[in-house]
Amino acid sequence: MSALIATRPSPAERLADLAVQALIDEADLSPKPGLVDRRGNGAHQDLHLGLMHASARSLWPTFSAMAEAAQAEGQVSQALRESVGRLGREGETEMLRVTGGVNTHRGAIWALGLLTAAAALEGNTSATAIAMTAAALARLEDPAAPHNPNSHGARVCRRYGVPGAREQAQQGFPAITVHGLPQLLASRREGAGEQNARLDALLAIMSQLTDTCVLHRAGLEGLSRMQQGARAVLDAGGAASLAGRRQLRELDRDMLALNASPGGAADLLAATLFLDRLAPATTTNGSN
């Protein structure tokens, strides 16, 4: 018995396990339009599935440290916001070392980092409660955060006047709580099967999100095609239906032709899977 107790993961380690597994599950999910999956590299020349796995595993210490910092602080505070920011930057440095400079999970560090810290504060409550705690943390300024007005995300937000990952977090991740997670649960209830339910969740996010990754690569045309195409799959019956699969193949072809990859939606799907694993089979308000 003592040996079992000694090897049991701490709460922070368990949260890190869940975060890394969510990233791996997102990478493995297939077929994802324009994204790296088990079929190939999608619209990317510098990414592949093995690299995504290595990147995800490299972030385990980051997520664990963020959860530990939240547990030590015990509440949303300026000190915790600065700790999460510092740990995220350190995690990004390690990620880039492992990937040889390829940005695999920068957006996921932001989203999952905030949610991991929030989950350490909230415990296994509802997804909405965790997301709103993460939002409160995201709304605090981190004076040490680098401000790069020429980053892809910053330039896209300025050019098109759209919100980005920062605003998504500050609003409590509505792409997850209003779209991704409810669709995941609904598709499961309808008997779609787990992989199809996850694809439907991704499509629900894509149908609504102003994905700055797509905007950067393909402009408004790409964003419109992503949103309309994702909605067409769901309207046709989702990934589990033959008609939905036809629409999904068409969307994949269009994303590849436009060189568009919905990386922002992929990050939010990983965050959706993370929250789902924390409180399985519950809705976003915690009811059955």
Side-chain angles (χ1 to χ4, degrees):
M1 180 65 71
S2 60
L4 291 175
I5 294 174
T7 59
R8 185 177 299 161
S10 69
E13 290 171 336
R14 176 176 175 270
L15 288 170
D17 288 346
L18 293 177
V20 170
Q21 189 60 55
L23 290 175
I24 291 174
D25 288 345
E26 181 280 315
D28 285 347
L29 183 64
S30 305
K32 299 194 300 290
L35 289 159
V36 174
D37 59 21
R38 289 188 177 277
R39 301 170 303 158
N41 301 352
H44 296 275
Q45 300 301 316
D46 56 353
L47 298 180
H48 56 81
L49 190 58
L51 194 67
M52 300 295 286
H53 282 199
S55 172
R57 290 191 294 268
S58 78
L59 294 173
W60 189 94
T62 296
F63 295 133
S64 179
M66 287 177 173
E68 288 177 352
Q71 289 173 333
E73 184 67 18
Q75 62 183 349
V76 173
S77 68
Q78 184 63 37
L80 179 57
R81 175 66 185 88
E82 293 178 18
S83 292
V84 168
R86 174 182 56 80
L87 291 167
R89 290 187 291 276
E90 292 172 356
E92 181 179 325
T93 297
E94 176 61 13
M95 174 198 75
L96 292 173
R97 185 193 68 79
V98 167
T99 64
V102 179
N103 171 23
T104 43
H105 286 123
R106 183 174 289 141
I109 294 172
W110 167 249
L112 278 170
L114 289 168
L115 290 168
T116 298
L121 293 174
E122 289 288 335
N124 291 351
T125 56
S126 72
T128 297
I130 294 170
M132 293 312 297
T133 297
L137 195 58
R139 288 193 291 267
L140 297 174
E141 290 294 329
D142 179 4
H147 295 283
N148 181 7
N150 293 316
S151 69
H152 294 328
R155 283 188 291 173
V156 163
C157 291
R158 283 199 309 273
R159 178 177 180 182
Y160 297 108
V162 297
R166 178 184 178 88
E167 291 77 15
Q168 176 69 209
Q170 291 174 338
Q171 293 166 11
F173 295 100
I176 298 172
T177 60
V178 178
H179 302 291
L181 191 53
Q183 183 65 60
L184 178 70
L185 301 177
S187 293
R188 282 177 181 160
R189 287 194 299 269
E190 292 165 5
E194 185 60 24
Q195 295 303 299
N196 289 325
R198 292 177 180 182
L199 284 170
D200 287 348
L202 173 64
L203 292 160
I205 294 169
M206 290 170 59
S207 73
Q208 302 291 329
L209 187 69
T210 53
D211 195 314
T212 57
C213 296
V214 171
L215 279 168
H216 169 67
R217 284 171 166 254
L220 290 174
E221 178 188 2
L223 181 68
S224 176
R225 182 65 192 103
M226 179 194 80
Q227 292 177 339
Q228 292 178 11
R231 176 49 55 193
V233 179
L234 294 173
D235 289 346
S241 71
L242 290 176
R245 281 283 168 155
R246 285 193 290 270
Q247 293 290 338
L248 183 58
R249 286 194 296 271
E250 183 176 335
L251 176 58
D252 190 31
R253 286 194 296 268
D254 288 349
M255 291 291 97
L256 293 177
L258 290 165
N259 194 37
S261 176
D267 292 337
L268 291 170
L269 174 64
T272 299
L273 299 177
F274 171 75
L275 288 174
D276 175 62
R277 284 178 181 272
L278 279 176
T282 65
T283 65
T284 53
N285 64 10
S287 62
N288 290 330

